[in-house]
Amino acid sequence: MIEFQHIDKTYRIAKRQAGMGNALKAFFHREYETIHALSDVNFTIGDGEMVGYIGPNGAGKSTTIKIMCGILTPDSGQCVIDGRIPYQERVAHVRNIGVVFGQRGQLWWDVPVIDSFELIRDIYRVDEGVYRKNVHELSELLDLGEILKTPARNLSLGQKMRCEIAASLLHNPKLLFLDEPTIGLDAVSKIAVRKFIKKLNRERGTTIVLTTHDMQDIEALTERVLLIGKGRILLDGNLAQLKKHTSDAKTMAIQYRGTAPALRGDMEQVQSGEGHLTVRFRPSQIPVSEAIAYFAAATELVDVSVTDISTEEMVAQLYKEYRL
């Protein structure tokens, strides 16, 4: 569905030092800096995929999304989505996409949310029957209810974000771009939004591209991850495979009664306290079953949990590996 082929994009930015003298100087002679936002970027995303698009600030994520939305035109290369080139066929293209930017809204500030929905309906020329069906379904799934009668300026951040997601889906888009969709949300709202996104992908087959710095969103929603840094795609793979690429270590947390167990030489202590201990080890050196048996013989175990490297740790190590 999405083909990104050898895309390059640069920006020319005017720069000057602070002060009135430098401002006058820049008026007659401006200095520019060329920023290479994207350099030979290639990837393909199939129908119905949910892909996490991650990277540090300034890596090129927003530029990529804007090209896929048809807002920007690349300097070279080609982007084809569902057989269309977004920046050449914008009107036809936007009928099939939905966009949610965590920092920017599409709801009108001083009118009830339902009025904004009706205006969006008219902009996209959504059939009245389809519109009513979608509003009813989205209101139930996202628990909007009385929120629809409230002006956007009176909504909490969580309520506003749920309405933004609903607004982006009123016209049944095949492709949904989510840029920081859970930014600033409380735990309950985050869980609700994540459940809805998974349901949307599963039942409607909507293709979803998710850009976020919240690694819990990535872990909860996606299996495939694209890592971009300094304008280049650095990694493209399954989340579990990327974790193994980063580290095959396991983290074991135990709760115990009695004497604190001593560690083996092939274990590293992560955290310890009264009645609990967290260690890290490599299964190639000590199998998980052997590690559990060791602690069971050394003390009275109350609880044991074993996890892989966290997504946050994985991303931090990848950033360090690629010097991002």
Side-chain angles (χ1 to χ4, degrees):
M1 180 166 189
I2 300 176
E3 295 182 6
F4 228 63
Q5 302 173 346
H6 306 291
I7 295 289
D8 289 283
K9 181 64 179 178
T10 58
Y11 296 106
R12 193 163 173 254
I13 301 174
K15 295 218 165 183
R16 70 169 176 83
Q17 298 294 326
M20 183 60 70
N22 286 313
L24 291 171
K25 180 181 177 183
F27 183 79
F28 295 101
H29 178 70
R30 264 186 198 182
E31 295 181 358
Y32 291 91
E33 179 183 358
T34 300
I35 305 295
H36 296 277
L38 298 177
S39 301
D40 194 30
V41 173
N42 296 274
F43 60 80
T44 301
I45 298 175
D47 289 333
E49 274 197 272
M50 278 206 296
V51 177
Y53 194 46
I54 63 175
N57 292 327
K61 301 187 300 297
S62 295
T63 299
T64 304
I65 297 299
K66 288 175 182 177
I67 289 174
M68 289 193 286
C69 291
I71 297 171
L72 292 179
T73 301
D75 299 334
S76 62
Q78 191 173 55
C79 172
V80 180
I81 298 179
D82 204 19
R84 297 188 183 93
I85 298 175
Y87 36 89
Q88 293 180 358
E89 305 170 73
R90 288 190 62 182
V91 174
H93 175 62
V94 296
R95 289 175 182 162
N96 291 314
I97 68 170
V99 185
V100 178
F101 289 109
Q103 304 278 16
R104 300 174 186 174
Q106 57 187 318
L107 303 176
W108 276 258
W109 192 244
D110 290 313
V111 301
V113 172
I114 192 64
D115 286 353
S116 294
F117 282 10
E118 291 179 358
L119 185 54
I120 292 170
R121 174 201 62 193
D122 293 340
I123 290 172
Y124 284 96
R125 299 177 183 175
V126 181
D127 178 80
E128 183 64 26
V130 173
Y131 168 75
R132 292 189 180 280
K133 177 177 177 293
N134 285 346
V135 169
H136 176 73
E137 182 179 342
L138 292 167
S139 295
E140 287 195 346
L141 291 173
L142 290 169
D143 191 24
L144 301 182
E146 293 297 311
I147 296 174
L148 295 178
K149 303 175 184 177
T150 307
R153 60 182 166 81
N154 296 129
L155 299 179
S156 70
L157 185 57
Q159 292 171 332
K160 183 173 178 292
M161 188 53 60
R162 297 206 305 274
C163 291
E164 291 285 354
I165 292 173
S168 69
L169 296 170
L170 291 174
H171 58 296
N172 291 333
K174 296 179 182 178
L175 174 61
L176 181 61
F177 297 108
L178 299 174
D179 186 5
E180 301 283 1
T182 64
I183 187 169
L185 302 191
D186 58 63
V188 174
S189 296
K190 280 188 177 184
I191 291 172
V193 168
R194 287 169 186 161
K195 282 184 177 179
F196 172 74
I197 293 170
K198 291 173 77 171
K199 183 180 177 70
L200 179 71
N201 174 258
R202 182 176 64 252
E203 296 185 356
R204 293 192 184 181
T206 305
T207 304
I208 296 172
V209 179
L210 170 67
T211 63
T212 180
H213 292 293
D214 188 334
M215 292 303 110
Q216 291 183 346
D217 284 348
I218 295 294
E219 195 152 25
L221 295 172
T222 68
E223 291 186 357
R224 180 184 172 195
V225 174
L226 290 166
L227 173 65
I228 185 171
K230 300 177 181 177
R232 296 182 179 274
I233 298 294
L234 304 175
L235 281 175
D236 178 0
N238 180 278
L239 187 58
Q241 293 172 342
L242 290 181
K243 285 187 176 183
K244 287 183 179 179
H245 165 83
T246 307
S247 173
D248 62 350
K250 298 281 187 182
T251 299
M252 177 181 289
I254 68 170
Q255 293 181 19
Y256 61 89
R257 292 192 188 95
T259 307
L263 299 188
R264 289 177 34 153
D266 45 14
M267 293 178 177
E268 174 192 354
Q269 179 176 301
V270 177
Q271 189 178 18
S272 67
E274 185 67 31
H276 66 86
L277 174 68
T278 303
V279 300
R280 186 176 287 122
F281 60 90
R282 296 184 180 278
S284 58
Q285 297 174 336
I286 171 174
V288 173
S289 58
E290 186 177 327
I292 294 174
Y294 170 78
F295 286 119
T299 188
E300 181 185 352
L301 291 181
V302 177
D303 191 22
V304 178
S305 65
V306 181
T307 57
D308 295 316
I309 182 175
S310 70
T311 307
E312 285 87 354
E313 289 176 314
M314 177 199 77
V315 171
Q317 289 192 31
L318 288 173
Y319 285 5
K320 185 176 180 181
E321 179 181 344
Y322 288 100
R323 299 180 181 178
L324 298 179

